Amino acid sequence: MYVILTYDVKQVRVSKVMKISRKYLTHVQRSVFEGWLTEATLKRLKRELEKVLVLTEDAVSIYQVESLKYTKKEQIGVVEEFSHIL
């Protein structure tokens, strides 16, 4: 499945969340990652994130796209070379 992950975490945990997210997904913007994951890999990613997050202070959103057939991505402004366009 295609996954889009965004986060809003306290500054002291940003580097840890970014490091974990980079292991599994492509970094496309400051706090946005995306890429293809299996169900098992997504579970591993969630477990790793839960170990570093403080649930009363941090937020991570994970969007799961089962099919890209009706999905479109549009970026306005600077588009990094490593970005993956849907």
Side-chain angles (χ1 to χ4, degrees):
M1 81 188 74
Y2 199 78
V3 173
I4 301 168
L5 179 144
T6 65
Y7 64 83
D8 184 10
V9 299
K10 295 290 183 181
Q11 187 65 36
V12 296
R13 288 179 290 282
V14 167
S15 62
K16 289 179 183 178
V17 171
M18 184 179 290
K19 184 177 179 179
I20 293 167
S21 300
R22 278 188 175 150
K23 283 174 41 179
Y24 297 95
L25 299 164
T26 301
H27 191 193
V28 294
Q29 287 186 357
R30 290 189 180 147
S31 61
V32 180
F33 293 81
E34 60 185 38
W36 293 95
L37 296 179
T38 64
E39 194 72 40
T41 305
L42 179 57
K43 285 181 184 180
R44 280 197 311 270
L45 169 60
K46 289 179 184 179
R47 277 195 304 269
E48 284 190 48
L49 288 171
E50 288 170 353
K51 289 179 183 177
V52 299
L53 296 174
V54 175
L55 300 181
T56 58
E57 298 177 356
D58 303 324
V60 172
S61 296
I62 299 173
Y63 303 88
Q64 298 176 42
V65 180
E66 299 298 329
S67 169
L68 295 180
K69 184 175 180 179
Y70 301 108
T71 305
K72 178 179 161 183
K73 177 181 177 182
E74 180 179 351
Q75 287 189 251
I76 300 171
V78 177
V79 178
E80 298 292 331
E81 288 184 24
F82 56 82
S83 294
H84 296 288
I85 305 300
L86 296 178

